[in-house]
Amino acid sequence: MIGVNFFDNRPMLLLEAESLGVIDLNDAVVREYGYSRDELVGQPLTFLAKPEELNSADTEFTASNLMDPARTWNIVSKKGADHAVQFTHQGVRHNGRNAILVIVRPVESGTARTEPSVIPNLQNYLIRSPLAMIEWTKNYTVKHWSEKAKELFGWKREEVIGRDDFIERILHSEELQDAFENVEDAVSRKRNSYTVQGRSLTKEGEILHCEWYNSLLYDDDGNLESIYSLVNDITEKKQSKTLFKALSENSLLGIYLIQDGQFRYVNPKFAQIFDYPVGEITDDMGPLELTHPRDRERTRKHLEKRMSGEINQIRYKLRGVTSGGELIHVETYGSRITYLDKPAIIGTIIDKTEHKQALDQYQASVKSFEDLFDSISDAIYILNEDGRFIDVNRGAEEMYGYPKSYFIDKTLEVLAAPGKVDLQEIKHHIGTVLEGREQRVDWWGERSNGEVFPVKMLMAPGTFFGQDVVIVIARDVSEQFETDRKVKKNQERFRQLFHNAPIGIILMNRYQEIQQTNSAFDEIFGYTSEELKGLNVDKVLVPEKYKEEAESISERVLSGQSTEATSRRKRKDGTLVDVMIYGVPVRVDGHTESIFGIYVDISERKRAEDRIRKSLREKEVLLAEIHHRVKNNLAVITGLLEL
């Protein structure tokens, strides 16, 4: 147990405060009275009393009777021997409970020994924790030095025993004079004990903050004989107290202590929240005075439940009132504790006014978002990392014909048209999106009525209430799909017509640069499409003597007129070919964007026309000769007739 030479040689019992049941005992009890530890632990103190004393109300073993240090008791050892004793006691805390430490002092010849009537104050210290123990003479010479003292201060027993100057080594120089004055004051008042705190020094010069529990022993004449000191190192406690004060004074949380319906402590932040000076709250105001009238009854019930021990701690929100009457929203957390041997509540408080306003704004924003979310006609899905639906908008319900509850926690598979979607590819797309890259996906969906329809989906990464998600915007492209199909069909028809037409066709941009040619054009002029792509048609095909004519044709076409002309153009080998030319502009918003040039090889027709023209001239000469001869013959006949 604690110390030697005094404490280890005295029987000591640790009792429950209310029942006086034995919690623990030291070896001196076992030696003195013969009972083992197991036999006494759990038994009431009356287990040791003589039976006849139990029948006397005046000598009843109660806490109040134990308070009288002059009362003598008779206890019985295991062997039946009577022992006249007196009890020295002290209230302590043991494992969070109230307890009583009792020292049993034998009475010799009916007179109690001259020893301390109370032991030093050990409140809030665990009894089984060892303290450094030092015994001094009245002249401050060290008589006893415990092992714990050696551990705490660093000096060995042989270094301190008998030294009359050691007190100057162990106490800080600024504490020394106060130490002498405290002893003198205690002796003058015939006090048996006193407790002080101060700075002490280790052998290495380290400063310790210690609590000294000093017991003074007097001789029969009342003169000081010796001093017993129990030393408790409270350096960490002191530092913790300093740290608590620093944290409390600078805390962003309001901190309070409530006892007997009043605030016994509030920190500056608490006072700031309610717009009061600290001094106006502490010991003058109670929690209900700072609570909004509509929340006072609820607050009162919470306080009662904690103070009564029905609940130990609670967190709740309430409305408060500042010194100026302003309504504020706060959240408080409080726990029941024992403070100065009485129940109390310690807790924190947070000003939630701005948070409440922000929450209201947030809820309004969420409502606006939900309204916007549902107003979009496209289907929107929110998928988690496993590809399961977290939320969908009204557009998704209308597109597929299912209620929102049908979607939640399912995968896209339930919306896929059987046999038309590669689900493994969709999972790959989801993984790619979660890596931060958008994906565009063509999809075939199936409505609740079994209708299959095409969908285009944009899949993008996002967050949803702090969770990484995939946001999918899906659009029903049935009409577009049908339109695209028709366009593709028309494009294919045009492509076949363009390439298979028996006449030469070229497609040019507005600068008359050749973009594409068909096979018939290549045959007429001897070029391939790759050779002509990007070249100006007039610079490639028009002979020098036809430049002005070609420019005139180009001007008319670029102005939006369809133009027709017959001319000659140059082949790849340099020969000229007779062609009929059609220039057809492609107009968009009143502007010529591209030009179709159509070339018809009319060489054979030209030659045929020349042959016909030559034949016609020969016939005209023959007809004239015949006409001349007929005319002459008619003249002869006319002359003969006239004759």
Side-chain angles (χ1 to χ4, degrees):
M1 293 296 287
I2 303 174
V4 290
N5 189 37
F6 177 78
F7 288 96
D8 277 355
N9 292 329
R10 278 16 177 212
M12 298 175 65
L13 296 162
L14 184 64
L15 309 178
E16 292 181 351
E18 297 181 2
S19 67
L20 299 184
V22 178
I23 300 174
D24 204 353
L25 58 139
N26 68 350
D27 293 338
V29 173
V30 177
R31 290 194 306 269
E32 192 76 21
Y33 304 111
Y35 294 102
S36 68
R37 184 180 303 275
D38 292 340
E39 287 176 311
L40 289 181
V41 171
Q43 296 290 346
L45 185 59
T46 54
F47 181 81
L48 298 173
K50 291 186 67 173
E52 56 268 24
E53 290 196 352
L54 297 180
N55 298 326
S56 172
D58 183 56
T59 57
E60 185 180 0
F61 274 48
T62 64
S64 60
N65 286 338
L66 285 173
M67 295 289 284
D68 185 358
R71 186 183 294 272
T72 300
W73 306 89
N74 288 313
I75 62 176
V76 181
S77 68
K78 187 173 182 179
K79 293 181 179 180
D82 290 346
H83 296 266
V85 300
Q86 289 181 332
F87 295 127
T88 297
H89 71 279
Q90 174 62 46
V92 296
R93 294 284 290 175
H94 178 73
N95 292 337
R97 296 183 299 169
N98 291 328
I100 299 174
L101 177 63
V102 175
I103 296 178
V104 184
R105 297 186 296 142
V107 177
E108 297 179 358
S109 302
T111 303
R113 291 181 183 177
T114 306
E115 292 180 350
S117 61
V118 293
I119 65 173
N121 180 15
L122 299 179
Q123 184 70 16
N124 297 321
Y125 188 81
L126 295 179
I127 296 308
R128 296 187 65 84
S129 297
L131 297 176
M133 189 273 185
I134 308 171
E135 183 180 358
W136 312 83
T137 68
K138 63 181 179 180
N139 297 320
Y140 307 111
T141 300
V142 179
K143 293 178 62 178
H144 174 71
W145 184 259
S146 71
E147 281 297 313
K148 181 59 181 179
K150 172 187 171 183
E151 294 176 16
L152 182 60
F153 295 106
W155 281 285
K156 297 179 181 178
R157 188 172 183 276
E158 56 269 22
E159 293 178 302
V160 300
I161 294 297
R163 292 188 58 169
D164 57 5
D165 64 342
F166 183 69
I167 192 168
E168 299 174 3
R169 301 284 304 275
I170 197 172
L171 293 184
H172 193 280
S173 59
E174 296 179 4
E175 310 282 349
L176 194 58
Q177 186 60 38
D178 289 341
F180 294 145
E181 291 177 358
N182 287 333
V183 174
E184 292 175 2
D185 180 70
V187 171
S188 67
R189 299 185 183 192
K190 296 301 179 182
R191 294 177 59 187
N192 297 95
S193 66
Y194 67 92
T195 302
V196 293
Q197 292 184 3
R199 289 167 291 176
S200 303
L201 300 175
T202 68
K203 184 178 181 180
E204 301 299 326
E206 179 186 357
I207 296 177
L208 300 178
H209 291 275
C210 296
E211 191 163 27
W212 293 71
Y213 310 113
N214 299 301
S215 293
L216 283 66
L217 301 183
Y218 301 94
D219 59 19
D220 293 340
D221 296 327
N223 298 317
L224 179 64
E225 188 175 82
S226 60
I227 304 170
Y228 287 92
S229 297
L230 293 177
V231 188
N232 183 18
D233 181 5
I234 61 169
T235 304
E236 291 186 6
K237 179 180 178 181
K238 189 85 172 179
Q239 292 172 344
S240 298
K241 184 176 180 180
T242 303
L243 178 61
F244 169 77
K245 182 177 180 181
L247 292 175
S248 175
E249 297 298 308
N250 297 283
S251 175
L252 297 177
L253 300 177
I255 300 175
Y256 62 86
L257 176 71
I258 301 171
Q259 191 175 61
D260 297 327
Q262 299 289 318
F263 288 108
R264 299 306 181 194
Y265 170 80
V266 298
N267 71 339
K269 183 61 179 179
F270 184 98
Q272 178 188 342
I273 290 173
F274 290 94
D275 196 25
Y276 282 97
V278 171
E280 288 188 21
I281 299 177
T282 305
D283 294 327
D284 290 327
M285 300 182 70
L288 298 183
E289 294 175 65
L290 301 180
T291 304
H292 189 276
R294 293 185 179 178
D295 288 343
R296 285 177 184 168
E297 182 61 22
R298 182 163 60 98
T299 301
R300 185 186 61 77
K301 289 180 179 179
H302 286 319
L303 290 170
E304 286 181 355
K305 288 180 179 179
R306 279 175 291 173
M307 294 300 287
S308 66
E310 182 178 342
I311 55 175
N312 287 326
Q313 55 190 16
I314 191 171
R315 167 183 260 156
Y316 61 98
K317 297 177 181 178
L318 62 118
R319 290 166 291 183
V321 181
T322 67
S323 62
E326 180 183 353
L327 175 68
I328 59 174
H329 295 270
V330 298
E331 182 175 358
T332 182
Y333 174 83
S335 298
R336 184 181 186 273
I337 64 168
T338 298
Y339 175 68
L340 300 179
D341 293 327
K342 295 171 66 178
I345 297 172
I346 188 170
T348 59
I349 195 165
I350 305 173
D351 186 354
K352 291 282 189 175
T353 304
E354 292 185 4
H355 174 77
K356 180 70 166 53
Q357 294 170 348
L359 180 62
D360 291 342
Q361 293 176 356
Y362 167 75
Q363 290 174 340
S365 298
V366 170
K367 183 64 169 61
S368 298
F369 165 76
E370 291 175 347
D371 292 342
L372 177 62
F373 188 58
D374 284 331
S375 68
I376 297 174
S377 58
D378 290 337
I380 303 179
Y381 324 132
I382 310 295
L383 308 178
N384 64 16
E385 294 180 345
D386 297 327
R388 297 186 177 277
F389 293 104
I390 299 175
D391 198 3
V392 300
N393 71 339
R394 189 175 295 117
E397 296 178 281
E398 294 174 353
M399 180 180 292
Y400 285 95
Y402 295 109
K404 179 182 289 191
S405 58
Y406 174 82
F407 293 85
I408 303 304
D409 207 35
K410 293 184 175 65
T411 63
L412 283 169
E413 182 179 358
V414 299
L415 305 180
K420 297 180 74 66
V421 175
D422 187 341
L423 295 175
Q424 289 301 320
E425 183 180 356
I426 294 299
K427 290 181 180 178
H428 173 72
H429 286 308
I430 291 175
T432 302
V433 172
L434 290 171
E435 292 173 359
R437 290 175 289 171
E438 289 186 357
Q439 299 287 292
R440 295 181 183 274
V441 181
D442 290 330
W443 167 275
W444 286 90
E446 183 179 25
R447 305 187 207 276
S448 60
N449 61 7
E451 178 187 350
V452 174
F453 64 103
V455 179
K456 284 191 177 295
M457 296 192 300
L458 170 64
M459 308 174 77
T463 57
F464 186 74
F465 293 100
Q467 179 182 359
D468 291 335
V469 297
V470 176
I471 301 174
V472 182
I473 301 176
R475 175 169 294 179
D476 182 351
V477 292
S478 300
E479 293 183 4
Q480 180 183 343
F481 183 81
E482 183 61 25
T483 301
D484 290 346
R485 189 183 66 80
K486 291 179 179 178
V487 169
K488 288 179 181 179
K489 186 175 181 180
N490 290 335
Q491 286 176 339
E492 180 61 23
R493 288 173 179 173
F494 169 78
R495 190 191 67 80
Q496 293 190 23
L497 175 63
F498 181 85
H499 287 288
N500 298 326
I503 56 177
I505 305 175
I506 61 172
L507 175 63
M508 299 170 283
N509 62 19
R510 59 188 299 181
Y511 304 107
Q512 294 183 273
E513 294 171 341
I514 300 172
Q515 304 298 304
Q516 194 173 1
T517 65
N518 70 347
S519 301
F521 182 91
D522 297 343
E523 290 177 5
I524 293 173
F525 294 101
Y527 292 99
T528 64
S529 182
E530 288 73 17
E531 291 176 312
L532 294 175
K533 192 170 185 178
L535 300 179
N536 186 288
V537 65
D538 287 349
K539 292 181 179 180
V540 176
L541 301 182
V542 179
E544 189 65 32
K545 62 183 293 186
Y546 295 100
K547 291 290 186 182
E548 291 185 6
E549 174 195 75
E551 290 177 0
S552 177
I553 295 172
S554 297
E555 288 177 1
R556 292 197 301 273
V557 174
L558 288 171
S559 68
Q561 302 177 40
S562 294
T563 303
E564 177 185 344
T566 300
S567 186
R568 307 192 80 187
R569 293 293 183 263
K570 184 171 55 177
R571 292 191 178 97
K572 182 178 179 180
D573 59 9
T575 59
L576 301 181
V577 57
D578 292 299
V579 290
M580 183 174 290
I581 303 170
Y582 296 91
V584 181
V586 178
R587 304 277 288 178
V588 178
D589 295 332
H591 300 283
T592 300
E593 295 295 331
S594 57
I595 302 169
F596 281 108
I598 302 173
Y599 293 83
V600 180
D601 184 355
I602 59 171
S603 300
E604 287 297 327
R605 193 182 76 177
K606 268 290 191 181
R607 286 192 288 271
E609 287 179 352
D610 290 342
R611 286 195 299 271
I612 292 172
R613 195 172 290 110
K614 181 178 180 181
S615 175
L616 182 59
R617 283 198 298 271
E618 290 175 352
K619 287 181 173 58
E620 287 176 347
V621 172
L622 178 60
L623 185 59
E625 182 64 28
I626 293 172
H627 178 71
H628 178 68
R629 291 187 180 187
V630 171
K631 183 178 179 181
N632 288 340
N633 290 334
L634 287 175
V636 172
I637 294 172
T638 302
L640 291 175
L641 289 173
E642 288 178 350
L643 291 175

